[in-house]
Structures are given as C-alpha cells and as structure tokens.
C-alpha cells in the first residue's frame, strides 16, 4: 500500500497552489473586507480547467479524478475559503446531479458551460423547515401539461444569485410514495419568471461567497428539466452529498494547513521572555498536534476520494472524513488564534479569518451530529 499521489496529481496540486498564491493571495484582504463575489478569479479558474476538474472533456471538463478535485479545494482553502467553497458548491452540489443523473441533452446544454466555468452551478436542498431533515421538503413541483410549476422557498443557497449563475437544481415534492413525499430534482434556469433571489446574507465567514434565500412563485420550467426519474431525487442528492462531504473535508484540511503555516512563521518572529515563542514546549506541542491531526484528516479524505474514484461504496468514509476534518479544522483554528494571542483576535490577521471560516464546516452539507448519525447507521446500529 503506497500513500503517494500520482505524478499527475502532484503536478495538478502545484498548479493550483501557484494559482492560489499568485491570483488569490494578493486579494485576500479585499475579498474579506468588501465581500464582493470574485468574478475575475472564478473566470481564471475556468480558463485553467479548475471549474470542471472531475468531468470528462466531452462535457467541457478536465477529465481529472475526484481526488484531484479535492486537492484543488484544499489548495484554494489553504489561502482563502470563498473561492474554495464557490468551487465546491459548483462541482459537488450544482454540477454533480447533472453529470451523474442528467440526460445527454442536459449535459450538453447545461453541464458543458458549467464545466468550462462560463456559468456557475447551485443546488437548492435546504429550506426554512427542512435543514438536517431534508426529507421534509415543502417545495412542490406540479406537472401542468409539459411544464413543472414550482412553488416554495430555499434558504442558504450558494452560487444561485451571481451574474454568472446558470440556475439551481432544486429538490421538490412531485408526488407521494407509500405515504411519504416523493422528491425529484429539477433544474431551474436563473432567468425563469418566478425565480426570486433575495439579497446576499451577511455571514460570519466566507464573506465573498454568494449565499442567498431563493423563492419560487409559480415558476414554470419544461417537463424535460427533471433530472433522472421522478421520485429519485432523495437518492440522487445523497450520492451527491457523499462527494460533497469529501470536498468539504478538503476545505477543512486546507484551512487548517493555512493556520499551521501562519503559526509556523509567527512563532519564530514573536519574542516573549527574551525568546521566540517557538522555543516554548507548550507552543511546540500545539503545532505538533495540529500537523498530526491535519495529516490524519488528509489520509481519511484522500481515501474516501480514492474509493469514490474506484466506484466503491464510500458513504461511511465520506462522513468520517467530513466529521473529523471539520472538527479538526475548528480545533486547529482555535489553537492558531491562541498562538497569536491578542493579535489573533484582530481582523487583519489571517488566523482570525481562518477561525471564522472554520465554523461553517461543522454545519454545511450535514452537521457533525448528522455525520455521526450516518456513520452509526453505516456501522449497522
Ligand atoms: C454559508 C452556508 C452555505 C450553504 N449552502 C447551501 C447550499 O448551497 N445548498 C443547500 O441546500 N444548503 C446549503 N446550506 C444549508 C446547510 O446545509 C444547512 O444549514 C445544514 O444542513 C443544517 O441545517 P439547518 O441549518 O436547518 O440546521 P438544523 O437542521 O435546524 O439543525 C439545528 C441543530 O440541530 C441538530 N440536529 C438536527 N437534527 C438532529 C438529529 N436528528 N439528531 C441530533 N441533532 C440534530 C443539528 O446538528 C444542529 O446542531 C448552507 C448553509 C450555510 C450556512
């Protein structure tokens, strides 16, 4: 068993790292302070093929594997999280249902511009009354002739309201099956009448990413916009979420790695009691623990990605990777702020931003509590 990336994956990592250092690092302060969506950076990511890494070239993608995509998310988050989450929501949530379950026509029409980075994808699952309990979806889609008529509200949706958003794939109740709501996934283009976009939320972190409430009032889309078979939406999004969880683990690993690197510089510069604080065992142990935990999380996430690439079951591994990496990241960011002392509490210090960007990773795409439920279920209890 070799724990080594393939040559292609190593080259890909260094390409994304160079991009993040050259194109994102100089704009980190601006992204955080202004909170404006990074159109220019996303356009360049599209040109480099990053916006369609795991999709085949015939669909506008780069033909890479899922592991390369997770590495890209990690490398972006090592510098800054909003570009990383924009990519993650675009690929794992927005584009995945189309790629895995869409028709050839849907792939050619909708997925190709997404994979090239010309358009941005979103997935609308969460509702005011259906968060962790995603099966409690209240949004409805009723077939009227050859159109779906969609009504309902989605909250906290990433990527659905930018100038380059293609639209959103929503989960909607399309009937009943054994007394339970039968849920389908339906693609709704952004300019459809009745697709209402609320202003951006003001968030604790991820300032420049686009997160909004969406509402649909008698929003009509062609019947052919359903993705896969009617009533299979729940199973589809569970498969997409397995992939999303691995990518969120990548985001957490990148954030924690960023914390570690900032600390490694700071502890050599900061002098107290006549010595760099790097000489104090209490500080050295914190760094040793951070590095160890990051390595553990990385191994879990890469294993889950490799299983997905091999077409093997990975629900448990994806949930474990997401759970462990996000909690590890929160702990690493907390220790990073501690190591920076009072300066760590100041907005202009990167660890303060890493800290604020970390918390959501324990919540989005299934909270830590939900990951534990999934893992316990997979254990057979
Ligand atoms: C910035 C941001 C971006 C997001 N982007 C998207 C997106 O693009 N698309 C999308 O569909 N959603 C998105 N979300 C929504 C996100 O996935 C949900 O917030 C998350 O799944 C939790 O749902 P909730 O917020 O309704 O919390 P709730 O489900 O109300 O949970 C509240 C608390 O109760 C706990 N809890 C709930 N049920 C159980 C249980 N059975 N056992 C134990 N504890 C339980 C939870 O773990 C949590 O601690 C985003 C959210 C944020 C904040």
């Amino acid at each position: 068993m070799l724990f080594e990336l393939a040559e292609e994956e190593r080259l890909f990592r260094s390409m994304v790292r160079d991009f993040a250092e050259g194109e994102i690092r100089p704009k980190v302060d601006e992204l955080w302070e202004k909170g404006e969506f990074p159109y220019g950076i996303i356009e360049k990511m599209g040109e480099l093929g990053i916006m369609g890494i795991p999709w085949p070239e015939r669909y506008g993608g780069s033909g890479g594997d899922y592991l390369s995509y997770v590495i890209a998310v990690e490398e972006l988050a090592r510098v800054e999280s909003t570009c990383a989450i924009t990519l993650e929501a675009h690929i794992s949530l927005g584009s995945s249902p189309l790629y895995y379950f869409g028709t050839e026509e849907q792939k050619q029409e909708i997925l190709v511009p997404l994979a090239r980075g010309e358009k941005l994808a979103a997935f609308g699952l969460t509702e005011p009354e259906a968060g962790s309990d995603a099966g409690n979806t209240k949004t409805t889609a009723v077939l009227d002739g050859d159109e779906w008529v969609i009504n309902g509200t989605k909250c906290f949706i990433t990527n659905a309201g930018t100038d380059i958003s293609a639209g959103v794939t929503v989960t909607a109740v399309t009937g009943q099956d054994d007394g339970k709501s039968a849920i389908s996934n339906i693609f709704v283009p952004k300019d459809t009448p009745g697709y209402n976009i609320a202003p951006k939320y003001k968030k604790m972190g991820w300032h420049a990413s686009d997160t909004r409430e969406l509402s649909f009032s008698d929003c009509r889309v062609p019947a052919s916009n359903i993705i896969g078979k009617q009533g299979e939406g729940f199973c589809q999004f569970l498969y997409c979420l397995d992939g999303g969880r691995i990518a969120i683990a990548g985001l957490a690993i990148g954030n924690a790695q960023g914390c570690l690197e900032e600390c490694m510089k700071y502890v050599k510069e900061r002098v107290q009691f006549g010595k760099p604080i790097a000489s104090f065992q209490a500080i050295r142990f914190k760094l040793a623990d951070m590095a160890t935990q990051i390595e553990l999380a990385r191994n879990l996430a890469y294993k889950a990605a490799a299983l997905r690439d091999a077409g093997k079951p990975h629900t448990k591994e994806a949930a474990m990777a997401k759970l462990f990496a996000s909690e590890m990241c929160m702990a690493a960011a907390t220790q990073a702020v501690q190591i920076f002392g009072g300066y760590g509490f100041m907005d202009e210090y990167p660890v303060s931003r890493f800290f604020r960007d970390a918390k959501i990773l324990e919540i989005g795409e299934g909270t830590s509590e939900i990951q534990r439920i999934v893992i316990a279920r997979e254990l057979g209890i």
Side-chain angles (χ1 to χ4, degrees), residues 158-227:
T158 307
N159 286 351
T162 72
D163 295 348
I164 55 166
S165 298
V168 60
T169 296
V170 291
T171 49
V173 177
T174 49
Q176 292 291 311
D177 188 6
D178 254 353
K180 283 189 185 163
S181 295
I183 293 174
S184 304
N185 287 327
I186 300 176
F187 178 72
V188 190
K190 197 183 95 186
D191 49 10
T192 310
Y195 180 122
N196 308 309
I197 304 167
K200 269 174 75 168
Y201 293 99
K202 288 188 179 160
K203 306 190 289 283
M204 177 195 283
W206 290 359
H207 284 175
S209 77
D210 186 89
T211 324
R212 298 171 193 260
E213 182 177 287
L214 304 175
S215 65
F216 302 93
S217 31
D218 288 334
C219 188
R220 289 176 171 268
V221 299
S224 59
N225 278 25
I226 190 163
I227 296 177

Coordinates of all heavy atoms in Angstrom, one line a residue, residues 158-227:
T158 N -25.9 28.5 -2.0 CA -24.6 29.0 -2.5 C -24.6 29.0 -4.1 O -25.1 28.1 -4.7 CB -23.5 28.1 -2.0 OG1 -23.6 28.0 -0.6 CG2 -22.1 28.7 -2.4
N159 N -24.2 30.1 -4.6 CA -23.9 30.3 -6.1 C -25.1 30.5 -6.9 O -25.0 30.5 -8.2 CB -23.2 29.0 -6.7 CG -21.8 28.8 -6.3 OD1 -21.2 29.8 -5.7 ND2 -21.2 27.7 -6.6
A160 N -26.3 30.7 -6.4 CA -27.5 30.8 -7.2 C -27.9 32.2 -7.6 O -28.7 32.3 -8.5 CB -28.7 30.2 -6.5
G161 N -27.2 33.2 -7.1 CA -27.6 34.5 -7.4 C -26.6 35.5 -8.0 O -26.7 36.7 -8.0
T162 N -25.5 34.9 -8.5 CA -24.5 35.7 -9.1 C -24.8 36.1 -10.6 O -25.8 35.5 -11.1 CB -23.1 35.0 -9.1 OG1 -23.2 34.0 -10.1 CG2 -22.8 34.4 -7.8
D163 N -24.1 37.0 -11.1 CA -24.3 37.3 -12.5 C -24.1 36.2 -13.5 O -24.6 36.2 -14.6 CB -23.4 38.5 -13.0 CG -23.7 39.8 -12.2 OD1 -24.8 39.8 -11.5 OD2 -22.9 40.7 -12.2
I164 N -23.3 35.2 -13.0 CA -22.9 34.1 -13.9 C -23.6 32.8 -13.5 O -23.3 31.7 -14.1 CB -21.4 33.9 -14.0 CG1 -20.8 33.7 -12.7 CG2 -20.7 35.0 -14.8 CD1 -19.4 33.1 -12.7
S165 N -24.5 32.9 -12.6 CA -25.2 31.7 -12.1 C -26.1 31.2 -13.3 O -26.9 31.9 -13.8 CB -26.1 31.9 -10.9 OG -25.3 32.3 -9.8
A166 N -26.0 29.9 -13.6 CA -26.9 29.3 -14.6 C -28.3 29.1 -14.1 O -29.3 29.1 -14.8 CB -26.3 27.9 -15.1
G167 N -28.4 28.8 -12.8 CA -29.7 28.5 -12.1 C -29.4 27.6 -11.0 O -28.3 27.5 -10.4
V168 N -30.4 26.8 -10.6 CA -30.3 26.0 -9.4 C -31.0 24.7 -9.7 O -32.1 24.7 -10.3 CB -30.8 26.7 -8.2 CG1 -32.3 27.1 -8.3 CG2 -30.6 25.9 -6.9
T169 N -30.5 23.6 -9.2 CA -31.2 22.3 -9.2 C -31.9 22.2 -7.9 O -31.2 22.2 -6.8 CB -30.3 21.1 -9.4 OG1 -29.7 21.3 -10.7 CG2 -31.0 19.8 -9.3
V170 N -33.2 22.2 -7.9 CA -34.0 22.2 -6.6 C -34.6 20.8 -6.3 O -34.9 20.1 -7.2 CB -35.1 23.2 -6.5 CG1 -34.6 24.6 -6.5 CG2 -36.1 23.0 -7.6
T171 N -34.7 20.5 -5.0 CA -35.4 19.3 -4.7 C -36.9 19.8 -4.5 O -37.1 20.8 -3.8 CB -34.9 18.7 -3.3 OG1 -34.8 19.8 -2.4 CG2 -33.6 18.1 -3.5
A172 N -37.8 19.0 -5.0 CA -39.2 19.4 -4.9 C -40.1 18.2 -4.8 O -39.7 17.1 -5.3 CB -39.6 20.2 -6.1
V173 N -41.2 18.3 -4.0 CA -42.1 17.2 -3.9 C -42.9 17.1 -5.1 O -43.6 18.1 -5.5 CB -43.0 17.4 -2.6 CG1 -44.0 16.2 -2.5 CG2 -42.2 17.5 -1.4
T174 N -42.8 15.9 -5.8 CA -43.6 15.8 -7.0 C -44.7 14.7 -6.9 O -45.3 14.3 -7.9 CB -42.6 15.4 -8.2 OG1 -41.8 14.3 -7.8 CG2 -41.8 16.6 -8.6
G175 N -44.9 14.2 -5.7 CA -46.0 13.2 -5.5 C -45.8 12.5 -4.2 O -45.0 13.0 -3.3
Q176 N -46.5 11.4 -4.0 CA -46.4 10.6 -2.8 C -46.1 9.2 -3.1 O -46.5 8.7 -4.2 CB -47.8 10.6 -2.1 CG -48.2 12.0 -1.5 CD -47.4 12.4 -0.3 OE1 -47.2 11.7 0.6 NE2 -46.9 13.7 -0.3
D177 N -45.3 8.6 -2.2 CA -44.9 7.2 -2.4 C -45.0 6.5 -1.1 O -44.2 6.9 -0.2 CB -43.4 7.2 -3.0 CG -43.0 5.8 -3.4 OD1 -43.9 4.9 -3.4 OD2 -41.8 5.6 -3.7
D178 N -46.0 5.6 -0.9 CA -46.2 4.9 0.3 C -46.4 5.9 1.5 O -45.8 5.7 2.6 CB -44.9 4.0 0.6 CG -45.2 2.6 0.4 OD1 -46.4 2.2 0.1 OD2 -44.2 1.8 0.5
G179 N -47.1 6.9 1.3 CA -47.4 7.9 2.3 C -46.3 8.9 2.6 O -46.4 9.8 3.4
K180 N -45.2 8.7 1.8 CA -44.1 9.7 2.0 C -43.9 10.6 0.8 O -44.3 10.2 -0.3 CB -42.8 8.9 2.2 CG -42.5 8.2 3.5 CD -41.1 7.7 3.5 CE -40.9 6.9 4.8 NZ -39.7 6.1 4.7
S181 N -43.4 11.8 1.0 CA -43.2 12.7 -0.1 C -42.2 12.1 -1.1 O -41.1 11.6 -0.7 CB -42.6 14.0 0.4 OG -43.5 14.7 1.2
A182 N -42.5 12.0 -2.3 CA -41.6 11.6 -3.4 C -40.9 12.9 -3.9 O -41.6 13.8 -4.3 CB -42.3 10.9 -4.5
I183 N -39.6 12.9 -3.8 CA -38.8 14.1 -4.1 C -38.1 13.9 -5.5 O -37.6 12.9 -5.7 CB -37.8 14.4 -3.0 CG1 -38.6 14.8 -1.7 CG2 -36.9 15.5 -3.4 CD1 -37.8 15.0 -0.5
S184 N -38.2 15.0 -6.3 CA -37.4 14.9 -7.5 C -36.5 16.1 -7.6 O -36.7 17.2 -6.9 CB -38.4 15.0 -8.7 OG -39.4 14.0 -8.6
N185 N -35.5 16.0 -8.4 CA -34.6 17.1 -8.7 C -34.9 17.8 -10.0 O -35.0 17.1 -11.0 CB -33.1 16.7 -8.7 CG -32.6 16.3 -7.3 OD1 -33.0 16.9 -6.4 ND2 -31.7 15.3 -7.3
I186 N -35.1 19.1 -10.0 CA -35.5 19.8 -11.2 C -34.6 21.0 -11.4 O -34.3 21.8 -10.4 CB -36.9 20.2 -11.1 CG1 -37.8 19.0 -10.9 CG2 -37.4 21.0 -12.4 CD1 -39.3 19.3 -10.7
F187 N -34.0 21.2 -12.6 CA -33.2 22.3 -12.9 C -34.0 23.5 -13.3 O -34.8 23.5 -14.1 CB -32.2 22.0 -14.0 CG -31.3 23.1 -14.4 CD1 -30.3 23.5 -13.5 CD2 -31.5 23.9 -15.5 CE1 -29.5 24.6 -13.8 CE2 -30.7 25.0 -15.8 CZ -29.7 25.4 -14.9
V188 N -33.7 24.6 -12.6 CA -34.5 25.9 -12.8 C -33.5 26.9 -13.3 O -32.6 27.4 -12.5 CB -35.2 26.4 -11.5 CG1 -36.1 27.5 -11.9 CG2 -35.9 25.2 -10.8
P189 N -33.6 27.4 -14.6 CA -32.7 28.4 -15.0 C -32.9 29.7 -14.3 O -34.1 30.0 -13.9 CB -33.0 28.6 -16.5 CG -33.7 27.3 -16.9 CD -34.4 26.9 -15.6
K190 N -31.9 30.5 -14.1 CA -32.0 31.7 -13.2 C -32.9 32.8 -13.8 O -33.6 33.4 -13.0 CB -30.6 32.3 -13.1 CG -30.5 33.3 -11.9 CD -29.2 34.0 -11.8 CE -29.2 35.3 -12.5 NZ -27.9 36.0 -12.6
D191 N -33.0 32.9 -15.1 CA -33.9 34.0 -15.6 C -35.3 33.6 -15.7 O -36.2 34.3 -16.3 CB -33.3 34.5 -17.0 CG -33.0 33.4 -17.9 OD1 -33.4 32.2 -17.6 OD2 -32.4 33.6 -19.0
T192 N -35.7 32.4 -15.2 CA -37.1 32.0 -15.3 C -38.0 32.9 -14.5 O -37.7 33.2 -13.3 CB -37.3 30.6 -14.8 OG1 -36.3 29.7 -15.4 CG2 -38.6 30.0 -15.0
P193 N -39.1 33.4 -15.0 CA -40.1 34.2 -14.2 C -40.5 33.4 -13.0 O -40.8 32.2 -13.1 CB -41.2 34.5 -15.2 CG -40.7 34.3 -16.6 CD -39.6 33.3 -16.4
G194 N -40.5 34.1 -11.8 CA -40.9 33.4 -10.6 C -39.7 32.9 -9.8 O -39.9 32.3 -8.7
Y195 N -38.5 33.0 -10.4 CA -37.3 32.6 -9.7 C -36.8 33.9 -8.9 O -36.2 34.8 -9.5 CB -36.2 32.2 -10.7 CG -34.9 31.7 -10.3 CD1 -34.4 30.5 -10.6 CD2 -34.0 32.6 -9.6 CE1 -33.1 30.0 -10.2 CE2 -32.7 32.1 -9.2 CZ -32.3 30.9 -9.5 OH -31.0 30.5 -9.2
N196 N -37.1 34.0 -7.6 CA -36.8 35.2 -6.9 C -35.6 35.1 -6.0 O -35.5 34.1 -5.3 CB -38.0 35.6 -6.0 CG -39.3 35.6 -6.8 OD1 -39.4 36.2 -7.8 ND2 -40.3 34.9 -6.3
I197 N -34.7 36.0 -6.2 CA -33.4 36.0 -5.5 C -33.3 37.0 -4.4 O -33.5 38.2 -4.7 CB -32.2 36.2 -6.5 CG1 -32.3 35.2 -7.6 CG2 -30.9 36.1 -5.8 CD1 -31.4 35.5 -8.8
A198 N -33.1 36.6 -3.1 CA -33.0 37.6 -2.0 C -31.6 38.2 -2.0 O -30.7 37.6 -2.6 CB -33.3 36.9 -0.7
P199 N -31.4 39.3 -1.3 CA -30.1 39.9 -1.2 C -29.2 38.9 -0.5 O -29.6 38.0 0.2 CB -30.3 41.1 -0.3 CG -31.7 41.4 -0.4 CD -32.4 40.1 -0.6
K200 N -27.8 39.0 -0.7 CA -26.9 38.1 0.0 C -27.0 38.2 1.5 O -27.2 39.3 2.0 CB -25.4 38.6 -0.4 CG -24.9 37.9 -1.7 CD -23.6 38.5 -2.0 CE -22.4 38.1 -1.1 NZ -21.1 38.4 -1.7
Y201 N -26.9 37.0 2.1 CA -26.8 37.0 3.6 C -25.5 37.7 4.0 O -24.5 37.6 3.3 CB -26.7 35.6 4.1 CG -27.9 34.7 4.0 CD1 -28.0 33.8 2.9 CD2 -29.0 34.8 4.8 CE1 -29.1 33.0 2.8 CE2 -30.1 34.0 4.7 CZ -30.2 33.1 3.7 OH -31.2 32.2 3.5
K202 N -25.5 38.3 5.2 CA -24.2 38.8 5.9 C -23.8 37.6 6.8 O -24.5 37.2 7.7 CB -24.5 40.0 6.7 CG -24.8 41.2 5.8 CD -24.8 42.5 6.6 CE -25.1 43.7 5.7 NZ -25.6 44.8 6.4
K203 N -22.6 37.1 6.5 CA -22.1 35.9 7.2 C -20.9 36.1 8.1 O -20.2 37.0 7.9 CB -21.8 34.8 6.1 CG -22.9 34.6 5.1 CD -22.6 33.4 4.2 CE -21.4 33.6 3.2 NZ -21.8 34.4 2.0
M204 N -20.8 35.2 9.0 CA -19.6 35.2 9.9 C -18.3 35.0 9.2 O -17.3 35.6 9.5 CB -19.8 34.0 10.9 CG -18.7 33.8 11.9 SD -18.7 32.2 12.7 CE -20.0 32.4 13.9
G205 N -18.3 34.2 8.2 CA -17.1 34.0 7.3 C -17.6 33.9 5.9 O -18.7 34.3 5.5
W206 N -16.6 33.3 5.0 CA -17.0 33.2 3.6 C -17.6 34.5 3.0 O -18.6 34.4 2.3 CB -17.9 32.0 3.4 CG -17.4 30.7 3.6 CD1 -16.1 30.3 4.0 CD2 -18.1 29.4 3.5 NE1 -16.0 28.9 4.1 CE2 -17.2 28.4 3.8 CE3 -19.4 29.1 3.1 CZ2 -17.6 27.0 3.8 CZ3 -19.8 27.8 3.1 CH2 -18.9 26.7 3.4
H207 N -17.0 35.6 3.4 CA -17.7 36.9 3.1 C -18.0 37.1 1.6 O -19.0 37.6 1.2 CB -16.8 38.1 3.6 CG -16.9 38.2 5.1 ND1 -16.2 39.2 5.7 CD2 -17.7 37.6 6.0 CE1 -16.5 39.1 7.0 NE2 -17.4 38.2 7.2
A208 N -17.1 36.6 0.7 CA -17.3 36.9 -0.7 C -18.1 35.9 -1.4 O -18.5 36.1 -2.6 CB -15.9 37.1 -1.4
S209 N -18.4 34.8 -0.8 CA -19.2 33.8 -1.5 C -20.7 34.2 -1.5 O -21.1 35.0 -0.7 CB -19.1 32.4 -0.8 OG -19.9 32.3 0.4
D210 N -21.4 33.7 -2.5 CA -22.8 34.1 -2.8 C -23.7 33.1 -2.1 O -23.9 32.0 -2.5 CB -23.0 34.1 -4.3 CG -24.3 34.7 -4.7 OD1 -24.4 35.9 -4.9 OD2 -25.3 33.9 -4.8
T211 N -24.4 33.6 -1.0 CA -25.3 32.7 -0.3 C -26.6 33.5 -0.1 O -26.6 34.6 0.4 CB -24.8 32.3 1.1 OG1 -23.4 32.1 1.1 CG2 -25.5 31.1 1.6
R212 N -27.7 32.9 -0.6 CA -29.0 33.6 -0.6 C -30.2 32.7 -0.3 O -30.1 31.5 -0.5 CB -29.2 34.2 -2.0 CG -28.2 35.2 -2.4 CD -28.4 35.6 -3.9 NE -27.2 36.3 -4.4 CZ -27.2 37.6 -4.5 NH1 -28.2 38.4 -4.2 NH2 -26.1 38.2 -5.0
E213 N -31.3 33.4 0.0 CA -32.6 32.7 0.0 C -33.1 32.8 -1.4 O -33.0 33.9 -2.0 CB -33.5 33.4 1.0 CG -34.9 32.7 1.1 CD -35.8 33.3 2.2 OE1 -35.5 33.1 3.4 OE2 -36.8 33.9 1.8
L214 N -33.8 31.8 -1.8 CA -34.5 31.8 -3.1 C -35.9 31.4 -2.9 O -36.2 30.6 -2.0 CB -33.9 30.7 -4.0 CG -32.4 30.7 -4.3 CD1 -32.0 29.5 -5.2 CD2 -32.0 32.0 -5.1
S215 N -36.8 32.1 -3.6 CA -38.2 31.6 -3.6 C -38.7 31.5 -5.0 O -38.3 32.1 -5.9 CB -39.0 32.6 -2.8 OG -39.1 33.8 -3.4
F216 N -39.6 30.6 -5.1 CA -40.2 30.2 -6.4 C -41.7 30.4 -6.3 O -42.4 29.8 -5.5 CB -39.9 28.8 -6.8 CG -38.4 28.5 -6.8 CD1 -37.7 28.1 -5.7 CD2 -37.6 28.8 -7.9 CE1 -36.4 27.9 -5.7 CE2 -36.3 28.7 -7.9 CZ -35.6 28.2 -6.8
S217 N -42.2 31.3 -7.2 CA -43.7 31.5 -7.2 C -44.2 31.2 -8.6 O -43.9 31.9 -9.6 CB -44.0 32.9 -6.7 OG -43.0 33.8 -7.1
D218 N -44.9 30.1 -8.7 CA -45.5 29.7 -10.0 C -44.4 29.7 -11.1 O -44.6 30.3 -12.2 CB -46.7 30.5 -10.4 CG -47.9 30.2 -9.5 OD1 -48.0 29.0 -9.0 OD2 -48.8 31.0 -9.4
C219 N -43.3 29.2 -10.7 CA -42.1 29.2 -11.6 C -42.2 28.0 -12.6 O -42.2 26.9 -12.1 CB -40.9 29.1 -10.7 SG -39.3 29.4 -11.5
R220 N -42.3 28.3 -13.9 CA -42.6 27.2 -14.8 C -41.3 26.9 -15.6 O -40.6 27.8 -16.1 CB -43.6 27.7 -15.8 CG -45.0 27.8 -15.2 CD -46.0 28.3 -16.2 NE -47.4 28.2 -15.7 CZ -48.1 27.1 -15.9 NH1 -47.7 26.1 -16.7 NH2 -49.3 27.0 -15.3
V221 N -41.0 25.6 -15.6 CA -39.8 25.1 -16.4 C -40.3 23.9 -17.2 O -41.3 23.2 -16.8 CB -38.6 24.7 -15.5 CG1 -38.1 25.9 -14.7 CG2 -38.9 23.5 -14.6
P222 N -39.6 23.6 -18.3 CA -40.1 22.5 -19.2 C -40.0 21.2 -18.4 O -39.2 21.0 -17.5 CB -39.0 22.5 -20.3 CG -38.4 23.8 -20.3 CD -38.5 24.3 -18.9
A223 N -40.9 20.3 -18.7 CA -41.0 19.0 -18.0 C -39.7 18.2 -18.2 O -39.3 17.5 -17.3 CB -42.1 18.1 -18.6
S224 N -39.0 18.5 -19.3 CA -37.7 17.8 -19.5 C -36.6 18.3 -18.6 O -35.5 17.8 -18.6 CB -37.3 18.0 -21.0 OG -37.1 19.4 -21.2
N225 N -36.8 19.3 -17.7 CA -35.8 19.8 -16.8 C -35.7 18.9 -15.6 O -34.8 19.1 -14.7 CB -36.1 21.2 -16.3 CG -35.6 22.2 -17.3 OD1 -35.5 21.9 -18.5 ND2 -35.3 23.4 -16.9
I226 N -36.5 17.9 -15.4 CA -36.3 16.9 -14.3 C -35.0 16.2 -14.5 O -34.7 15.9 -15.7 CB -37.5 16.0 -14.2 CG1 -37.5 15.2 -12.9 CG2 -37.6 15.0 -15.4 CD1 -38.8 14.5 -12.5
I227 N -34.3 15.9 -13.4 CA -33.1 15.2 -13.5 C -33.3 13.7 -13.1 O -33.7 13.5 -12.0 CB -32.0 15.9 -12.7 CG1 -31.8 17.3 -13.3 CG2 -30.7 15.1 -12.7 CD1 -30.8 18.1 -12.5

